DNA sequence: TTAAACTTTCAGAAATTATTGAAACTTTAT
DNA sequence: ATAAAGTTTCAATAATTTCTGAAAGTTTAA
């Protein structure tokens, strides 16, 4: 396999993986592209590499910036914007995890709390509902907290975790 | 809020969360429904509760069984099939994690390995590609292994992990 | 100012994903 | 063997998500 083919395969794979985890494929591909780039890239370069429209590129770059994993850059003497990506994978994973927690997990937790707090007639059906949603709330909260704890130090958290595990 | 409303809200929320993580909404809802059920349910009961067609119910139940988080049950004297869900959340999370690893992470890892193994002319661009995809491969592999390690004991792995973390 | 360079927005189109429902298939009981 | 009961499949349709491209908006330079 030569470089060009490997690069395409890598970008496709990363896009597909993103897709499977509920992330826009193009968004994942833009990030993949920026991760292996030696230089900061302009929107035209991104459009050209991935064969996508300006609108699509613009919106997805903006999303990546909102997520905190792509950064706006500038070149002296150039008017247009350039972009770079977080390349430190420990930091990248933490940022994504925190963001997903904030956007998706915590709102779901609030609702689990809410629905598990109904006061019940004491039918089995209602008791079981409360019991199971309470368990679900407690479990998800615990998992969310563990993730937070584990990633407290953005630098090298994964290696640090492994060390804790083997002890 | 009374029971009926809470139940609907819970099922909607679980479906939406599933959706955001790349899981079919109906599939997540069926699982949610089975998790709070005191009894095993027939396909008709599931169709009725979620207002979905037989085909949809059948296909998604089958998927849940393939995932290993819903089980086929039978009632003596009844010909049709009934279904129940894994209710132990530690076990549930492990099963989902292992399955996603097998289906999504490991295939991606194989490709990362492959693309990072190209032999290069020594241009910066190609060196950077190899370096970054190697890092990505190593990181994802490590994370995948940690997950495996942490969930080695299906029972109470989350609590056990927390204990390790505070030590 | 003005206008050129660049970026964002968003309505419509395209692509993808999910759902339906009925036919085909399978299993069980007689 | 036959039929009734139940399940699966899948082509057609619906719903949702993504993408395009051009108009509108913004910024910078002269």
């Amino acid at each position: 396999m030569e470089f060009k083919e490997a690069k395409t395969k890598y970008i496709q794979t990363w896009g597909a993986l993103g897709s499977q985890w509920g992330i826009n494929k193009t968004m994942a591909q833009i990030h993949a592209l920026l991760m292996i780039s030696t230089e900061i890239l302009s929107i035209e370069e991104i459009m050209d590499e991935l064969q996508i429209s300006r609108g699509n590129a613009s919106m997805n770059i903006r999303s990546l910036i909102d997520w905190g994993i792509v950064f706006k850059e500038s070149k002296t003497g150039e008017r247009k914007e350039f972009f770079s990506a977080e390349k430190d994978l420990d930091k990248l994973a933490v940022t994504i995890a925190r963001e997903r927690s904030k956007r998706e997990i915590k709102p779901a937790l609030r609702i689990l709390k809410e629905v598990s707090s109904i006061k019940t007639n004491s039918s089995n059906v209602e008791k079981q509902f409360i019991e199971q949603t309470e368990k679900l709330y407690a479990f998800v909260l615990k998992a969310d907290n563990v993730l937070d704890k584990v990633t407290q130090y953005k630098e090298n958290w994964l290696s640090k975790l492994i060390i804790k595990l083997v002890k």
Side-chain angles (χ1 to χ4, degrees), chain A:
Chain A
M1 192 164 32
E2 40 88 40
F3 174 62
K4 198 83 186 298
E5 188 194 346
K7 180 174 172 182
T8 304
K9 202 164 186 179
Y10 154 75
I11 290 172
Q12 295 304 317
T13 300
W14 209 240
L17 192 62
S19 233
Q20 289 174 315
W21 288 74
I23 284 153
N24 179 296
K25 187 186 70 182
T26 303
M27 185 170 151
Q29 287 181 337
I30 294 173
H31 185 257
L33 178 63
L34 287 170
M35 279 218 297
I36 56 162
S37 181
T38 51
E39 308 284 343
I40 57 182
L41 299 181
S42 69
I43 193 165
E44 281 80 8
E45 290 167 314
I46 292 168
M47 287 164 63
D48 184 59
E49 281 271 12
L50 302 179
Q51 294 291 309
I52 58 174
S53 71
R54 185 174 299 277
N56 194 6
S58 173
M59 285 188 301
N60 279 301
I61 291 167
R62 226 41 57 184
S63 285
L64 285 161
I65 292 172
D66 287 347
W67 274 68
I69 59 179
V70 160
F71 315 108
K72 208 180 277 199
E73 307 277 359
S74 57
K75 271 189 185 172
T76 43
E78 293 251 26
R79 189 149 141 195
K80 64 178 161 215
E81 292 177 329
F82 291 81
F83 304 97
S84 67
E86 178 60 67
K87 288 182 185 174
D88 179 318
L89 298 174
D90 282 88
K91 283 191 194 166
L92 175 66
V94 169
T95 305
I96 293 172
R98 296 243 168 103
E99 203 60 29
R100 296 203 80 155
S101 167
K102 192 176 92 190
R103 293 178 190 212
E104 297 156 9
I105 307 301
K106 286 188 172 65
L109 270 173
R110 277 194 291 281
I111 292 173
L112 282 178
K113 181 80 188 171
E114 198 184 332
V115 300
S116 68
S117 305
I118 58 171
K119 55 188 173 342
T120 177
N121 73 36
S122 38
S123 71
N124 275 344
V125 169
E126 299 198 9
K127 275 195 288 190
Q128 160 73 356
F129 175 80
I130 290 172
E131 189 186 319
Q132 193 64 22
T133 51
E134 273 174 351
K135 280 187 187 160
L136 203 48
Y137 172 77
F139 185 85
V140 176
L141 182 62
K142 222 156 125 184
D144 193 55
N145 285 339
V146 164
L147 204 65
D148 206 70
K149 179 93 187 169
V150 162
T151 60
Q152 205 111 44
Y153 306 97
K154 283 198 171 191
E155 312 283 342
N156 265 323
W157 61 268
L158 186 54
S159 296
K160 286 178 185 160
L161 174 57
I162 289 172
I163 292 166
K164 285 226 176 193
L165 285 180
V166 295
K167 269 184 192 160

